[in-house]
C-alpha cells in the first residue's frame, strides 16, 4: 500500500499565485486532515474531513479551501499565496478519530515557499 | 487559547540510556493525548496514545505517563537507540467529540553513540 501520498514535494510560488496541494490515500479512511508546520513548531490543523462531501475548519483555515468529492482525495487550495503561507504542509488520514488502533497516517509533506 | 507545550526543545542522551520527554497541556477538558515521532523530511509517525482514564500506558520500549492534576504527560523511551533520534511531539486530542488536535512545538532527541 502507498498510504498517504502528497504531491508536489516542493514548490515555489510568487505572491498572489494560486495552487492546489494534492493528497490521496488508498486505505479507505474516512477522516482526512491538512496540517501546516512552520519551522521549529508543531503542526496546526487547517481543515479536516470526516467523509466524502463533508469538510470543516481547523485551527488556521484562513487563506485555504478544501473539497472532498471522493473518499481517496482531499486537495488543499491556496487562492492568493502570501508569504505567511510559507510552510511545510502535511496531509493525514485515519479510519476513526481518537482511536489508537486506527492512528493517523501522515504523508511526507509538501514544502511550499512563497516569494 | 488552549496550548500544548514542551519543557525542553532539545534532549541529548547516551545510547542505551533511558530518555524522558515532557509535555504540558492547558485544556482541562482534554481526555486524549498522543505522542508522535518525526524524522527529518518525513511526516509524523504515531508512537503511543493515552486516554484520561489511565495514568500510564506502555508500548514497545515506550511508556507514556499522564498526570491530570498538573496537566502533564511524559514519554519515556527505554534503552534509547540511534534510530530514536528525531523530533518528538505531544498532541492534545481535546475532549470528547473534538476533531481538532493541538500539537506542541516538539523536542529534538539526539542519541550519542
Amino acid at each position: 500500500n502507498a498510504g498517504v501520498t502528497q504531491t508536489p514535494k516542493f514548490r515555489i510560488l510568487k505572491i498572489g499565485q494560486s495552487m492546489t496541494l494534492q493528497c490521496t490515500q488508498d486505505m479507505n479512511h474516512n477522516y482526512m486532515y491538512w496540517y501546516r508546520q512552520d519551522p521549529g513548531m508543531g503542526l496546526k490543523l487547517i481543515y479536516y474531513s470526516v467523509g466524502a462531501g463533508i469538510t470543516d475548519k481547523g485551527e488556521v483555515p484562513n487563506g485555504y479551501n478544501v473539497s472532498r468529492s471522493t473518499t481517496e482525495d482531499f486537495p488543499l487550495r491556496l487562492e492568493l499565496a502570501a508569504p505567511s503561507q510559507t510552510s511545510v504542509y502535511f496531509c493525514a488520514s485515519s479510519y476513526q478519530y481518537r482511536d489508537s488502533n486506527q492512528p493517523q497516517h501522515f504523508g511526507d509533506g509538501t514544502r511550499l515557499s512563497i516569494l | 487559547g488552549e496550548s500544548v507545550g514542551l519543557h525542553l526543545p532539545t534532549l541529548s542522551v547516551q545510547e542505551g540510556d533511558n530518555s524522558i520527554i515532557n509535555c504540558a497541556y492547558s485544556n482541562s477538558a482534554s481526555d486524549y493525548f498522543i505522542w508522535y515521532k518525526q524524522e527529518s523530511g518525513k511526516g509524523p509517525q504515531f508512537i503511543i496514545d493515552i486516554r484520561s482514564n489511565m495514568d500510564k500506558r506502555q508500548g514497545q520500549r515506550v511508556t507514556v505517563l499522564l498526570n491530570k492534576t498538573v496537566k502533564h504527560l511524559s514519554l519515556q523511551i527505554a534503552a534509547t537507540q540511534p534510530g530514536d533520534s528525531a523530533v518528538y511531539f505531544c498532541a492534545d486530542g481535546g475532549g470528547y467529540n473534538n476533531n481538532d488536535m493541538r500539537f506542541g512545538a516538539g523536542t529534538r532527541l539526539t542519541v550519542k553513540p
Side-chain angles (χ1 to χ4, degrees), chain A residues 31 33 35 37 40-45 48 50 58-59 90 97-101 103-109 111, chain B residues 31-32 36 38 41-46 49 51 57 89 93-105:
Chain A
Y31 288 73
Y33 315 81
Y35 295 90
Q37 184 177 30
M41 302 295 289
L43 281 70
K44 293 190 176 182
L45 184 65
Y48 66 96
V50 301
E59 184 182 359
F90 288 100
Y97 180 67
R98 299 155 61 90
D99 184 346
S100 59
N101 293 318
Q104 286 190 7
H105 294 255
F106 284 82
D108 286 338
R111 188 175 298 274
Chain B
D31 65 356
Y32 181 61
Y36 289 92
Q38 186 177 26
K42 298 287 188 180
Q45 179 183 7
F46 173 91
D49 63 356
R51 297 185 187 279
R57 190 163 189 224
F89 294 96
Y96 178 75
N97 215 28
N98 177 74
N99 289 311
D100 188 353
M101 195 177 299
R102 301 293 175 104
F103 283 74

Side-chain angles (χ1 to χ4, degrees), chain A residues 6-115:
Chain A
Q6 292 184 238
T7 56
K9 294 190 185 304
F10 305 94
R11 185 72 183 269
I12 298 174
L13 283 181
K14 294 182 179 178
I15 295 171
Q17 286 186 319
S18 61
M19 79 162 292
T20 299
L21 281 67
Q22 302 290 346
C23 176
T24 187
Q25 52 92 8
D26 61 359
M27 296 171 282
N28 201 33
H29 284 168
N30 297 320
Y31 288 73
M32 295 189 75
Y33 315 81
W34 273 107
Y35 295 90
R36 61 176 286 172
Q37 184 177 30
D38 297 331
M41 302 295 289
L43 281 70
K44 293 190 176 182
L45 184 65
I46 305 171
Y47 271 95
Y48 66 96
S49 169
V50 301
I54 306 170
T55 63
D56 210 344
K57 296 178 181 179
E59 184 182 359
V60 290
N62 291 344
Y64 307 94
N65 282 300
V66 293
S67 60
R68 185 93 181 273
S69 57
T70 66
T71 300
E72 296 78 18
D73 301 306
F74 190 40
L76 177 72
R77 179 85 178 162
L78 282 71
E79 291 294 351
L80 288 171
S84 61
Q85 294 177 304
T86 294
S87 190
V88 181
Y89 291 84
F90 288 100
C91 179
S93 72
S94 64
Y95 184 69
Q96 296 276 5
Y97 180 67
R98 299 155 61 90
D99 184 346
S100 59
N101 293 318
Q102 303 282 351
Q104 286 190 7
H105 294 255
F106 284 82
D108 286 338
T110 293
R111 188 175 298 274
L112 182 63
S113 295
I114 316 294
L115 304 177

